[in-house]
Tab-separated table of all heavy atoms in Angstrom:
chain	number	residue	atom	x	y	z
H	191	VAL	N	135.888	95.825	107.818
H	191	VAL	CA	135.865	97.289	107.774
H	191	VAL	C	137.190	97.847	108.300
H	191	VAL	O	137.811	98.720	107.678
H	191	VAL	CB	134.679	97.828	108.612
H	191	VAL	CG1	134.836	99.321	108.884
H	191	VAL	CG2	133.347	97.534	107.913
H	192	ALA	N	137.636	97.329	109.447
H	192	ALA	CA	138.867	97.840	110.055
H	192	ALA	C	140.084	97.563	109.171
H	192	ALA	O	140.953	98.420	109.004
H	192	ALA	CB	139.055	97.215	111.442
H	193	ARG	N	140.123	96.360	108.591
H	193	ARG	CA	141.255	96.009	107.731
H	193	ARG	C	141.329	96.938	106.520
H	193	ARG	O	142.389	97.465	106.181
H	193	ARG	CB	141.125	94.555	107.244
H	193	ARG	CG	142.117	94.224	106.135
H	193	ARG	CD	142.014	92.821	105.574
H	193	ARG	NE	140.806	92.479	104.854
H	193	ARG	CZ	140.499	92.883	103.605
H	193	ARG	NH1	141.299	93.710	102.947
H	193	ARG	NH2	139.385	92.471	103.028
H	194	ILE	N	140.173	97.165	105.879
H	194	ILE	CA	140.166	97.991	104.663
H	194	ILE	C	140.487	99.452	104.994
H	194	ILE	O	141.252	100.106	104.286
H	194	ILE	CB	138.812	97.857	103.936
H	194	ILE	CG1	138.677	96.439	103.374
H	194	ILE	CG2	138.681	98.904	102.828
H	194	ILE	CD1	137.301	96.106	102.836
H	195	ALA	N	139.942	99.936	106.106
H	195	ALA	CA	140.241	101.321	106.495
H	195	ALA	C	141.738	101.486	106.725
H	195	ALA	O	142.337	102.483	106.303
H	195	ALA	CB	139.440	101.699	107.741
H	196	GLY	N	142.339	100.503	107.375
H	196	GLY	CA	143.785	100.560	107.624
H	196	GLY	C	144.575	100.597	106.323
H	196	GLY	O	145.541	101.360	106.183
H	197	ARG	N	144.162	99.774	105.375
H	197	ARG	CA	144.833	99.732	104.080
H	197	ARG	C	144.719	101.083	103.352
H	197	ARG	O	145.690	101.581	102.776
H	197	ARG	CB	144.216	98.607	103.233
H	197	ARG	CG	144.741	98.510	101.829
H	197	ARG	CD	146.211	98.068	101.831
H	197	ARG	NE	146.732	98.099	100.480
H	197	ARG	CZ	146.880	97.035	99.691
H	197	ARG	NH1	146.582	95.833	100.142
H	197	ARG	NH2	147.351	97.159	98.472
H	198	CYS	N	143.518	101.667	103.412
H	198	CYS	CA	143.317	102.979	102.778
H	198	CYS	C	144.216	104.031	103.421
H	198	CYS	O	144.856	104.844	102.731
H	198	CYS	CB	141.866	103.427	102.931
H	198	CYS	SG	140.683	102.493	101.944
H	199	GLU	N	144.237	104.012	104.746
H	199	GLU	CA	144.954	105.068	105.461
H	199	GLU	C	146.461	105.024	105.242
H	199	GLU	O	147.168	105.968	105.584
H	199	GLU	CB	144.602	105.016	106.955
H	199	GLU	CG	143.170	105.522	107.181
H	199	GLU	CD	142.583	105.102	108.511
H	199	GLU	OE1	143.070	104.116	109.118
H	199	GLU	OE2	141.625	105.757	108.949
H	200	ALA	N	146.932	103.920	104.656
H	200	ALA	CA	148.354	103.850	104.307
H	200	ALA	C	148.642	104.607	103.005
H	200	ALA	O	149.797	104.847	102.671
H	200	ALA	CB	148.786	102.385	104.181
H	201	LEU	N	147.596	104.985	102.280
H	201	LEU	CA	147.787	105.688	101.010
H	201	LEU	C	147.812	107.196	101.222
H	201	LEU	O	147.003	107.738	101.981
H	201	LEU	CB	146.653	105.351	100.033
H	201	LEU	CG	146.511	103.892	99.605
H	201	LEU	CD1	145.334	103.750	98.631
H	201	LEU	CD2	147.798	103.394	98.949
H	202	GLU	N	148.680	107.866	100.485
H	202	GLU	CA	148.829	109.307	100.671
H	202	GLU	C	147.528	110.070	100.368
H	202	GLU	O	147.217	111.065	101.018
H	202	GLU	CB	149.973	109.829	99.785
H	202	GLU	CG	150.474	111.187	100.270
H	202	GLU	CD	151.271	111.954	99.208
H	202	GLU	OE1	151.557	111.382	98.140
H	202	GLU	OE2	151.565	113.149	99.459
H	203	ALA	N	146.762	109.603	99.364
H	203	ALA	CA	145.532	110.306	98.989
H	203	ALA	C	144.554	110.366	100.168
H	203	ALA	O	143.840	111.355	100.353
H	203	ALA	CB	144.870	109.607	97.796
H	204	PHE	N	144.539	109.311	100.953
H	204	PHE	CA	143.664	109.269	102.128
H	204	PHE	C	144.277	110.070	103.278
H	204	PHE	O	143.578	110.798	103.982
H	204	PHE	CB	143.420	107.813	102.560
H	204	PHE	CG	142.477	107.064	101.652
H	204	PHE	CD1	142.922	106.480	100.471
H	204	PHE	CD2	141.131	106.938	101.977
H	204	PHE	CE1	142.051	105.785	99.635
H	204	PHE	CE2	140.253	106.245	101.146
H	204	PHE	CZ	140.711	105.667	99.968
H	205	ARG	N	145.595	109.905	103.464
H	205	ARG	CA	146.260	110.609	104.580
H	205	ARG	C	146.146	112.122	104.440
H	205	ARG	O	145.851	112.831	105.402
H	205	ARG	CB	147.748	110.224	104.635
H	205	ARG	CG	148.021	108.954	105.415
H	205	ARG	CD	149.448	108.961	105.984
H	205	ARG	NE	150.422	109.298	104.963
H	205	ARG	CZ	151.052	108.404	104.189
H	205	ARG	NH1	150.830	107.117	104.348
H	205	ARG	NH2	151.923	108.797	103.288
H	206	LYS	N	146.372	112.590	103.205
H	206	LYS	CA	146.319	114.038	102.963
H	206	LYS	C	144.917	114.615	103.153
H	206	LYS	O	144.755	115.825	103.366
H	206	LYS	CB	146.754	114.342	101.514
H	206	LYS	CG	148.216	114.650	101.343
H	206	LYS	CD	148.564	114.864	99.873
H	206	LYS	CE	147.740	115.961	99.192
H	206	LYS	NZ	147.988	115.984	97.715
H	207	ALA	N	143.895	113.762	103.028
H	207	ALA	CA	142.511	114.218	103.150
H	207	ALA	C	142.013	114.212	104.596
H	207	ALA	O	140.935	114.742	104.882
H	207	ALA	CB	141.602	113.329	102.294
H	208	ALA	N	142.782	113.630	105.487
H	208	ALA	CA	142.316	113.452	106.877
H	208	ALA	C	142.137	114.805	107.571
H	208	ALA	O	142.829	115.782	107.256
H	208	ALA	CB	143.309	112.579	107.639
H	209	PRO	N	141.208	114.873	108.522
H	209	PRO	CA	140.912	116.147	109.197
H	209	PRO	C	142.142	116.856	109.750
H	209	PRO	O	142.283	118.073	109.568
H	209	PRO	CB	139.947	115.726	110.304
H	209	PRO	CG	139.221	114.564	109.712
H	209	PRO	CD	140.256	113.818	108.923
H	210	ALA	N	143.045	116.127	110.402
H	210	ALA	CA	144.162	116.775	111.075
H	210	ALA	C	145.076	117.530	110.109
H	210	ALA	O	145.746	118.486	110.504
H	210	ALA	CB	144.972	115.735	111.859
H	211	GLY	N	145.086	117.141	108.856
H	211	GLY	CA	145.988	117.781	107.895
H	211	GLY	C	145.368	118.953	107.144
H	211	GLY	O	146.015	119.500	106.238
Side-chain angles (χ1 to χ4, degrees):
Chain H
V191 165
R193 169 182 66 75
I194 292 170
R197 176 68 185 259
C198 289
E199 287 161 339
L201 298 180
E202 199 199 353
F204 286 83
R205 275 206 310 269
K206 267 177 56 188

